[in-house]
Amino acid sequence: MSAGKIKILFLCTGNSCRSQMAEGFAKYYFPHLFEVFSAGTKPEKLNPIAVKVMKEIGVDISKQYSKNVKQLMDIDFDYVITLCGDAKENCPIFPKKTKNYHQGFKDPAKAKGSDEEIINVYRTVRDEIKNFILSLPEFLKIKVQN
């Protein structure tokens, strides 16, 4: 874990889909800028469909695992970004220096329909999260140096 990197926690309820995707994208696109974590307020196991749709575009999150936010309370985060309303409402109190932001995404695990319709919901949410992560330096007003 490199000194000088910005520490970000992506938080959602289950830490099975959305926050895992956000962690994967942030590690993939900004390893030089961010030290990234994800957790849940009520963690579940890593969602295999989330792993599949991420792998489709070359981002491997298969080695990531779900964590309870309580396991990470000793980390001095710069930013905590909640990705669902439940996590926003149940976000623990972090030190004063930690900035909290909310950027909600639909829960793909609640998708209904045929297998194809369900996987398309995962792909849509994946792409929305990717676009958010790509805009993260601007969103957080961080200057990116190459």
Side-chain angles (χ1 to χ4, degrees):
M1 312 293 180
S2 297
K5 288 187 183 182
I6 297 162
K7 291 184 181 146
I8 298 178
L9 171 64
F10 294 104
L11 184 66
C12 66
T13 305
N15 190 218
S16 64
C17 291
R18 295 165 287 184
S19 55
Q20 294 287 354
M21 289 181 191
E23 177 184 354
F25 280 130
K27 285 179 174 177
Y28 184 82
Y29 289 111
F30 299 110
H32 58 290
L33 188 59
F34 301 133
E35 187 175 341
V36 185
F37 302 82
S38 69
T41 56
K42 298 174 194 159
E44 301 169 10
K45 66 181 173 93
L46 182 61
N47 185 298
I49 303 173
V51 174
K52 178 180 178 175
V53 299
M54 291 294 284
K55 189 167 245 162
E56 287 176 353
I57 60 169
V59 179
D60 183 6
I61 64 169
S62 65
K63 300 209 177 6
Q64 293 178 195
Y65 59 95
S66 296
K67 297 159 288 305
N68 190 305
V69 67
K70 292 175 186 171
Q71 294 172 254
L72 305 178
M73 294 301 291
D74 60 337
I75 298 173
D76 194 17
F77 292 109
D78 296 295
Y79 299 95
V80 173
I81 302 173
T82 54
L83 303 177
C84 70
D86 183 67
K88 181 182 178 190
E89 297 302 314
N90 294 297
C91 186
I93 304 297
F94 286 90
K96 200 170 195 170
K97 101 170 189 84
T98 302
K99 293 183 176 87
N100 294 305
Y101 291 103
H102 177 69
Q103 181 65 45
F105 296 96
K106 182 177 181 178
D107 186 355
K110 292 182 179 174
K112 304 267 189 257
S114 68
D115 289 349
E116 188 64 24
E117 290 168 328
I118 290 169
I119 202 161
N120 283 334
V121 171
Y122 278 82
R123 289 177 179 135
T124 297
V125 173
R126 173 202 65 199
D127 295 346
E128 290 170 353
I129 292 171
K130 176 184 175 182
N131 290 334
F132 171 68
I133 296 301
L134 288 172
S135 74
L136 203 53
E138 182 182 334
F139 180 81
L140 300 175
K141 297 177 179 34
I142 296 167
K143 291 191 190 314
V144 178
Q145 296 179 355
N146 295 326

